Amino acid sequence: MHKQAMIDPGYKGLSIKRQCELIELPRASYYRSPAPESDENQQLMRRMDELYTDYPFFGSRQMRNKLRREGYNVNRKRIQRLMRLMGLVSVAPKPHTSQANKEHLIYPYLLGNVLIERPNQVWCTDITYIRLAHGFVYLVAVMDWYSRQVLSWEVSVTMDDSFCVNALERALRLYGKPEIFNTDQGAQFTGRAFTGVLKREGVAISMDGKGRAMDNIMVERLWRSVKYEEIYLKDYTSVDQLRQSLKRYFQFYNYERPHQSFNGQTPAEVYNGERLNKIAV
């Protein structure tokens, strides 16, 4: 497991300093910023992130063409490399989608025609790219599908699966467990470390079909809110500054932000049983 992702900043029993000492991780390494791209590439990646948020069906060709129309001198090879680095994959169906790990078992999608009618019936998760002033990181969140409450989240400078497992374990520790857990087919979620936790807890595993953007639509909507209401408004200078800002935002999102689908109620109010109407997928 990536040591940095083993640190739980929300755990009150041990300080971050003490957690670092126990796993022999220099505290400076925990707070380090990711290795930066060039200033030109960072500017390009910012714009790519904005375009992908608006047009998640953009592949490398469409992204290249759009950027060229905006005056960027880029070729497709460069765009492909940066999209891989950012974890951006077109949701549009295509003959050859991104390669999954052949050793990982892919589970069927379980939510077709399912009525989501209560908290902890279905949880879901996803990863998104987050820009910093001089670099970037990745954000994972675990969400309750019915209420849209964010149950846990974690930031990492790498795309390995350990920070995803860390977020999952925290959600289980704080909120119990769901009946079904839905993810995409990314290697972070299909690996034994992540699915093993769900099997241990007796949770049914559901995975999106390839090129089916609507299968995990609740998390996609969350990312749009996070990007437009928080990320795009600020320039974070460090990973720690980002974490503190996200902590405030998710507190606002869960407990203060009215949700149109809930007639003005917040996700926390719905999660805690203050809404009786059923929500159909």
Side-chain angles (χ1 to χ4, degrees), residues 16-28:
I16 289 177
K17 178 181 178 181
R18 182 56 180 155
Q19 291 182 63
C20 289
E21 290 173 351
L22 290 173
I23 63 172
E24 299 181 346
L25 174 69
R27 193 154 46 134

Side-chain angles (χ1 to χ4, degrees), residues 180-212:
I180 301 172
F181 199 105
N182 190 72
T183 74
D184 64 23
Q185 295 184 23
Q188 294 84 2
F189 305 126
T190 60
R192 293 180 180 177
F194 196 91
T195 58
V197 174
L198 296 173
K199 289 180 179 179
R200 181 195 74 201
E201 299 295 330
V203 177
I205 302 171
S206 171
M207 293 184 179
D208 302 347
K210 285 286 191 177
R212 290 174 56 92

Side-chain angles (χ1 to χ4, degrees), residues 78-89:
R78 183 181 179 187
I79 297 303
Q80 287 176 319
R81 184 185 76 81
L82 293 178
M83 288 186 71
R84 285 195 299 269
L85 183 63
M86 298 167 69
L88 306 184
V89 179

